[in-house]
């Protein structure tokens, strides 16, 4: 098999898993651009319950994300993913049948309990070679971004045609489609990828939470998604008040999101090619703060809203796209799965907090004050970001080795760390699972500089008979 590109199984796995992930996130996001308006028609409506309905999935996602990944390690990826999709479908049906705001909150919370993100990423790792794994993960990330854009466009169209209940029935249909894709499109696999690099391990979590560099990212993604959810407690109403009917909101979201994407790309290129990632990262947080202050300060005319929203999504898309990459480089070798589990939980907790805080602020101080509160929190994030260490160009790889003794683990670790391009090398025994059998072979977790490392030489060293 060529190491230069994805093989047939990897392509199939990347597309099918990315599609499942994207379809599910589409169902979660479609409520954002419409619920602030349609939610007012439900019995029991209040700004606080509106915020709860928008953000409820975030709390249960955060609580179930890591346990579902661990269950997939024990019982298999596909069964856990399918079970999560069934739970998500049940939540969608409950929300579709609800005539009260309370029923929608319960439905959204149950949707979040189907937390399959970590299991999907682990399955993607199982189905790809070490050197091709970043491409598969990038494909999934791209589909997540696309799902958000489609949700902003399709949400108003579906809600206008079929109402709020129709929106949740459509989400249920998408979930059934995702289940069929998992069953018939995703290749079968046993759990073969090293666990620590893909699935969160409980014993690592407390240490990683205290890591000052990772905690900056976790706090950042919390504030980022809190701002997004809180803003959508009021933004759709403001667009309607400025003269844009709800059924036409897609006409605003489509050029706004596309425009923000094209504005974001040059900054990403500059950051990568000029090695200015840290300044550009802080600059994007500053832009987010400016956009939120403008939403608070400027009159609620259509063009001022459009201008501010374009700035907001330019910053949001840049941060959303670059933060997972930063996380993978800051995380110590061999614990990326645990680091990503904490990061994802922080992200979903932020979505939940945004709904709560947005609803509370709107009920007590008026909806316009939501933007001020989020802008101030973004400034705190900006101040925290200045302490982030300079990023080194690196990638993480994991290799199953033929090393079977502790003595050889120490010996090979010393050889690895002395090789050109190896930034970190961690060897761990008794982590490999093939079906129902456990292997005593060690797993090598490496953080490398791709320009300097000779991966073929590394693999040759690790795969020779070292028993």
């Amino acid at each position: 098999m060529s190491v230069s590109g994805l093989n047939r199984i990897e392509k199939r796995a990347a597309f099918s898993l990315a599609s499942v992930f994207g379809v599910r996130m589409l169902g979660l996001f479609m409520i954002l651009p419409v619920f602030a308006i349609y939610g007012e028609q439900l019995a029991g409506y209040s700004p606080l319950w509106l915020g709860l309905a928008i953000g409820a999935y975030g709390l249960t996602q955060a609580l179930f994300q890591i346990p579902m990944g661990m269950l997939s390690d024990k019982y298999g990826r596909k069964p856990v993913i399918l079970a999560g999709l069934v739970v998500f479908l049940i939540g969608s049906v409950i929300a579709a049948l609800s005539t009260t705001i309370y029923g929608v909150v319960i439905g959204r919370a149950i949707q979040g309990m189907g937390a399959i993100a970590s299991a999907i990423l682990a399955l993607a790792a199982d189905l790809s070679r070490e050197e091709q794994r970043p491409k598969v993960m990038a494909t999934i990330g791209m589909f997540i971004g696309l799902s958000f854009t489609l949700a902003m466009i399709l949400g108003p169209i579906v809600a206008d045609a079929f109402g709020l209940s129709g929106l949740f029935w459509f989400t249920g249909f998408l979930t059934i489609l995702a289940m069929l894709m998992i069953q018939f499109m995703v290749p079968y696999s046993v759990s073969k990828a090293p666990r620590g690099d893909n699935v969160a391990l409980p014993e690592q979590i407390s240490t990683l939470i205290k890591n000052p560099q990772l905690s900056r990212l976790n706090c950042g993604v919390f504030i980022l998604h809190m701002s997004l959810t809180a803003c959508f407690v009021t933004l759709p109403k403001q667009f309607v008040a400025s003269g844009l009917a709800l059924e036409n909101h897609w006409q605003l979201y489509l050029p706004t999101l596309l425009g923000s994407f094209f504005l974001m790309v040059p900054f990403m290129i500059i950051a990568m090619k000029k090695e200015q990632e840290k300044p550009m990262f802080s600059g994007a947080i500053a832009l987010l703060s400016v956009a939120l202050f403008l939403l608070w300060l400027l009159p609620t005319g259509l063009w001022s809203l459009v201008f501010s929203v374009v700035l907001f999504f330019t910053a949001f898309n840049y941060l959303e796209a670059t933060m997972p990459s930063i996380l993978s480089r800051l995380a110590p070798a061999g614990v990326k799965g645990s680091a990503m589990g904490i990061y994802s939980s922080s992200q979903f907790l932020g979505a939940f907090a945004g709904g709560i805080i947005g609803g509370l602020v709107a009920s007590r101080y008026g909806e316009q004050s939501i933007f001020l509160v989020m802008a101030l929190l973004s400034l705190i994030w900006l101040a925290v970001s200045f302490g982030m260490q300079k990023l080194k160009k690196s990638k993480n790889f994991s290799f199953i080795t033929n090393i079977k003794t502790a003595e050889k683990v120490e010996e090979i670790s010393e050889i690895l760390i002395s090789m050109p391009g190896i930034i970190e090398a961690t060897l761990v025994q008794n982590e490999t699972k093939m079906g129902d059998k456990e292997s005593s072979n060690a797993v090598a977790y490496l953080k490398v500089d791709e320009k300097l490392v000779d991966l073929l030489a590394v693999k040759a060293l690790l795969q020779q008979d070292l028993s």
Side-chain angles (χ1 to χ4, degrees):
M1 291 188 295
S2 168
V3 298
S4 60
L6 299 176
N7 62 34
R8 183 177 60 83
I9 291 177
E10 288 166 338
K11 288 177 182 177
R12 182 178 161 196
F15 175 77
S16 57
L17 289 173
S19 298
V20 169
F21 210 134
V23 161
R24 183 179 165 283
M25 296 308 291
L26 179 64
L28 279 173
F29 287 143
M30 283 175 65
I31 192 177
L32 284 180
V34 300
F35 196 70
I37 295 169
Y38 280 92
E40 293 181 336
Q41 302 168 11
L42 296 170
Y45 165 84
S46 73
L48 177 58
W49 280 100
L50 172 72
L52 264 173
I54 291 175
Y57 79 93
L59 177 62
T60 47
Q61 277 276 319
L63 293 176
F64 283 82
Q65 196 67 241
I66 292 175
M68 288 286 277
M70 293 164 60
L71 286 173
S72 79
D73 208 41
K74 184 174 183 180
Y75 297 107
R77 313 299 189 205
K78 276 194 176 185
V80 169
I81 293 170
L82 286 170
L85 288 171
V86 169
V87 172
F88 187 83
L89 177 61
I90 292 170
S92 301
V93 171
I94 290 172
L97 294 173
S98 297
T99 57
T100 68
I101 193 80
Y102 316 117
V104 173
V105 170
I106 292 170
R108 290 279 285 175
I110 293 174
Q111 281 184 324
M113 291 169 64
I116 58 173
S118 56
I120 287 181
L121 294 175
L123 180 54
D126 292 341
L127 292 167
S128 56
R129 294 163 291 167
E130 295 88 355
E131 57 269 27
Q132 298 302 327
R133 202 164 289 154
K135 296 179 185 176
V136 175
M137 298 301 181
T139 302
I140 293 174
M142 180 180 68
F143 272 60
I144 294 172
L146 180 63
S147 71
F148 180 80
T149 302
L150 284 175
M152 295 297 103
I153 298 165
L154 287 177
I157 295 173
V158 174
D160 180 57
F162 304 106
L164 186 62
S165 63
L167 193 68
F168 288 114
W169 285 122
F170 183 67
T171 298
F173 167 75
L174 292 176
T175 308
I176 294 172
L177 180 63
M179 292 168 69
L180 292 172
M181 293 173 70
I182 284 290
Q183 189 64 33
F184 298 110
M185 288 182 62
V186 177
Y188 173 79
S189 171
V190 295
S191 175
K192 68 176 182 63
R195 296 171 64 227
D197 221 24
N198 301 291
V199 176
L201 303 176
E203 61 270 19
Q204 299 169 343
I205 290 173
S206 61
T207 302
L208 291 173
I209 288 174
K210 299 172 187 175
N211 184 301
Q213 296 301 321
L214 295 178
S215 64
R216 286 182 170 86
L217 283 179
N218 296 331
C219 290
V221 78
F222 179 90
I223 292 172
L224 183 66
H225 281 263
M226 178 170 56
S227 300
L228 176 71
T229 309
C231 286
F232 274 97
V233 170
T234 183
L235 263 181
K237 296 180 186 178
Q238 298 207 0
F239 287 134
V240 171
S242 68
L244 187 67
L246 180 61
E247 61 268 22
N248 296 324
H249 280 198
W250 69 270
Q251 298 174 4
L252 181 146
Y253 289 121
L254 178 59
T256 296
L257 289 166
L258 288 177
S260 65
F261 173 79
F262 285 111
L263 285 172
M264 168 194 79
V265 170
F267 295 109
M268 292 187 72
I269 293 172
I270 292 170
M272 294 298 292
K273 289 193 173 182
K274 303 291 185 181
E275 297 188 13
Q276 296 295 312
E277 289 169 285
K278 182 180 173 183
M280 296 302 293
F281 181 75
S282 296
I285 301 171
L287 181 62
L288 184 76
S289 303
V290 168
L292 289 165
F293 274 118
L294 289 177
L295 283 166
W296 173 59
L297 284 170
L298 294 180
T300 55
L302 181 59
W303 290 110
S304 63
L305 281 172
V306 169
F307 176 73
S308 301
V309 169
V310 168
L311 294 183
F312 177 88
F313 278 112
T314 299
F316 179 89
N317 289 337
Y318 180 90
L319 293 164
E320 185 79 346
T322 56
M323 288 173 76
S325 173
I326 294 172
L327 177 79
S328 69
R329 280 182 281 169
L330 290 177
V335 296
K336 191 172 69 174
S338 299
M340 186 58 75
I342 298 167
Y343 176 87
S344 297
S345 295
S346 301
Q347 174 182 344
F348 289 118
L349 278 174
F352 172 69
I356 294 286
I357 293 173
L360 281 172
V361 171
S363 61
R364 294 190 179 185
Y365 305 106
E367 293 184 359
Q368 198 67 15
S369 299
I370 293 172
F371 301 121
L372 175 60
V373 173
M374 294 302 118
L376 294 173
L377 289 170
S378 298
L379 285 179
I380 294 173
W381 179 19
L382 177 62
V384 169
S385 74
F386 292 136
M388 189 171 72
Q389 69 185 35
K390 183 176 173 60
L391 297 169
K392 298 178 181 178
K393 283 194 173 182
S394 66
K395 281 193 176 180
N396 292 296
F397 292 95
S398 53
F399 299 95
I400 297 169
T401 78
N402 289 326
I403 306 171
K404 292 182 171 61
T405 65
E407 293 77 12
K408 284 293 182 182
V409 165
E410 292 294 329
E411 180 185 331
I412 298 302
S413 296
E414 292 297 325
I415 296 173
L416 281 170
I417 204 65
S418 66
M419 294 176 72
I422 303 290
I423 299 170
E424 288 182 29
T426 304
L427 270 69
V428 182
Q429 287 183 295
N430 299 323
E431 286 216 10
T432 307
K433 184 180 179 184
M434 296 292 289
D436 296 326
K437 297 180 180 179
E438 295 287 341
S439 168
S440 61
N441 290 23
V443 176
Y445 298 108
L446 307 178
K447 182 176 287 189
V448 307
D449 183 336
E450 274 198 311
K451 291 183 179 179
L452 300 176
V453 72
D454 184 347
L455 284 178
L456 293 177
V458 171
K459 292 180 77 170
L461 172 67
L462 296 174
Q463 292 174 1
Q464 60 182 295
D465 186 2
L466 295 165
S467 58

